[in-house]
Amino acid sequence: MRRKLAAGNWKMNGTAAALAEIEALIAAHPAPAADILVCPPATLIHRAAKLAGGSAVAIGGQDCHAEASGAHTGDISAEMLRDAGASHVILGHSERRADHGERDEDVRAKARRAMESGLIAVICVGESLAEREAANTLDIIGGQLSGSVPDMATGENLVIAYEPIWAIGTGRVPTTDQIGEVHGFIRARLERRFGAGVGRSVRLLYGGSVKPGNAAGIFAVPDVDGALVGGASLKAEDFSPIIAALEAA
Ligand code: PEP
């Protein structure tokens, strides 16, 4: 049985005042039937983790470096995230792949480091609109999976987020059939590479314009074990009904 996961990616949003949203989530979900994760900007991780300590809300980072320490100005290591109180880290988000030129091999090296440091890596994969329109979606996802996921992955240290780039922040959402096709493909690929035990235990999240109004339909799709939520995770009043829909799924 895979436990469901509702993950929020705050991206480059939020100052100290936003910690009140985490407080509200903690109050609204004291004993949830799904895991809850909030990934605030790095500046808030330590304060968020202190606030959420002992609650059902876990705190994660949005990226980490592949090295433990060194001359990498502006970067954060997996060890530093752990030290600040994070339990998860998002890796290979399409915005990092686009803005920072991250390739699959970079994501894989970061994920290895994150797992070695005791973090759960939430590795993002997803096709562009042009790739979908050219009927290349499964090839792209297959390549990203084999390139980005390290051999040491298990159901405990890996979560995969399928995030079609054209659905992120756009209000456009794939059909449930399209989501189901990609999630089924990812599941089959993981089972083929890691064996049925590990392959079936990795949680698969859908991400891209998940809102309170469409969450239940998405969560009813087979092999959707939760969501990675951007915009709608910034306010507890939006994220909370998404969590509730996941708990009810
Ligand atoms: C994201 O960036 O991970 C995301 C899914 O964003 P949004 O929910 O805003 O589309």
Side-chain angles (χ1 to χ4, degrees):
M1 251 313 257
R2 296 182 298 270
R3 194 165 152 85
K4 312 257 181 199
L5 171 62
N9 173 15
W10 282 11
K11 311 190 184 192
M12 198 173 70
N13 296 292
T15 53
L19 293 169
E21 303 299 330
I22 296 176
E23 263 178 313
L25 282 181
I26 292 168
H29 304 277
D35 289 343
I36 302 172
L37 169 67
V38 174
C39 299
T43 48
L44 291 180
I45 288 175
H46 184 60
R47 280 174 284 178
K50 279 186 100 169
L51 189 64
S55 83
V57 176
I59 301 300
Q62 299 174 15
D63 178 49
C64 71
H65 198 277
E67 306 282 333
S69 61
H72 303 289
T73 303
D75 281 319
I76 295 178
S77 71
E79 286 78 358
M80 291 167 182
L81 291 177
R82 278 280 282 179
D83 183 55
S87 52
H88 297 62
V89 61
I90 298 170
L91 293 171
H93 191 282
S94 60
E95 288 155 13
R96 291 210 58 91
R97 291 178 187 260
D99 295 356
H100 300 271
E102 288 188 10
R103 303 155 301 168
D104 289 332
E105 64 214 71
D106 302 314
V107 178
R108 188 187 189 108
K110 290 174 179 214
R112 202 181 300 121
R113 188 83 222 173
M115 291 167 176
E116 284 168 355
S117 304
L119 291 173
I120 297 171
V122 181
I123 297 181
C124 303
V125 296
E127 82 285 3
S128 68
L129 190 56
E131 289 162 345
R132 175 158 285 277
E133 286 174 347
N136 284 333
T137 297
L138 299 185
D139 279 350
I140 294 295
I141 302 296
Q144 290 174 339
L145 276 180
S146 45
S148 303
V149 176
D151 291 335
M152 65 187 294
T154 68
E156 282 74 50
N157 64 19
L158 174 69
V159 173
I160 299 286
Y162 167 53
E163 298 211 306
I165 297 168
W166 50 276
I168 295 177
T170 60
R172 284 188 70 180
V173 180
T175 65
T176 50
D177 282 352
Q178 288 172 325
I179 296 173
E181 180 190 32
V182 176
H183 279 236
F185 173 80
I186 295 172
R187 178 73 63 212
R189 278 297 172 99
L190 292 173
E191 287 185 24
R192 193 174 83 185
R193 178 168 165 197
F194 295 103
V198 169
R200 283 185 201 149
S201 63
V202 174
R203 291 177 290 180
L204 308 185
L205 310 184
Y206 167 76
S209 296
V210 176
K211 307 285 176 212
N214 62 18
I218 293 168
F219 295 149
V221 176
D223 273 312
V224 172
D225 302 311
L228 180 54
V229 183
S233 72
L234 292 173
K235 294 281 170 214
E237 66 184 23
D238 296 325
F239 198 27
S240 197
I242 294 173
I243 296 166
L246 186 59
E247 291 182 276

